[in-house]
Amino acid sequence: MSKQDKKLTKSLRERGVRKRLAGQMARATTGAASPKVARRAISDLTSVVEEIHDRLRGGPQKRSAAAKQAAHTRKRKAQQRSEAAKRAARTRARS
């Protein structure tokens, strides 16, 4: 393992990455191992970070509230269209 690999491994370990994964990622970045492992680990870590960001911003609850508001708006607009159509039908029936 080169000095660069050791530095990267140590850096990853300090940030909470497990020893085996840190070693695999360090080797993959220098070309000594398959980059597939590093790509998969990055993908996993990214998804975790995105989920944390989402939860900090109020994620699922915020989306749920927006969905309820949108459903209410659709229902209200449908009711308005229905009333307008009934008025138009009554007008046509009179003439």
Side-chain angles (χ1 to χ4, degrees), residues 79-95:
Q79 185 64 35
Q80 288 172 351
R81 282 193 305 275
S82 176
E83 289 172 7
K86 287 176 186 175
R87 277 196 310 273
R90 281 193 302 268
T91 303
R92 282 191 303 273
R94 274 188 261 150
S95 49

Side-chain angles (χ1 to χ4, degrees), residues 12 18 34 39 41 45 49 54 61 72 87:
L12 289 169
R18 296 196 175 237
S34 171
R39 282 194 205 106
L45 293 172
V49 169
D54 189 38
Q61 295 86 15
H72 182 70
R87 277 196 310 273

Side-chain angles (χ1 to χ4, degrees), residues 1-31:
M1 189 179 267
S2 70
K3 189 182 270 190
Q4 264 187 329
D5 289 350
K6 287 180 183 177
K7 282 184 179 179
L8 181 57
T9 302
K10 185 177 177 184
S11 174
L12 289 169
R13 292 282 295 139
E14 288 171 352
R15 287 175 173 78
V17 177
R18 296 196 175 237
K19 186 186 280 187
R20 182 173 179 209
L21 182 59
Q24 288 175 341
M25 289 179 68
R27 283 194 310 279
T29 57
T30 58

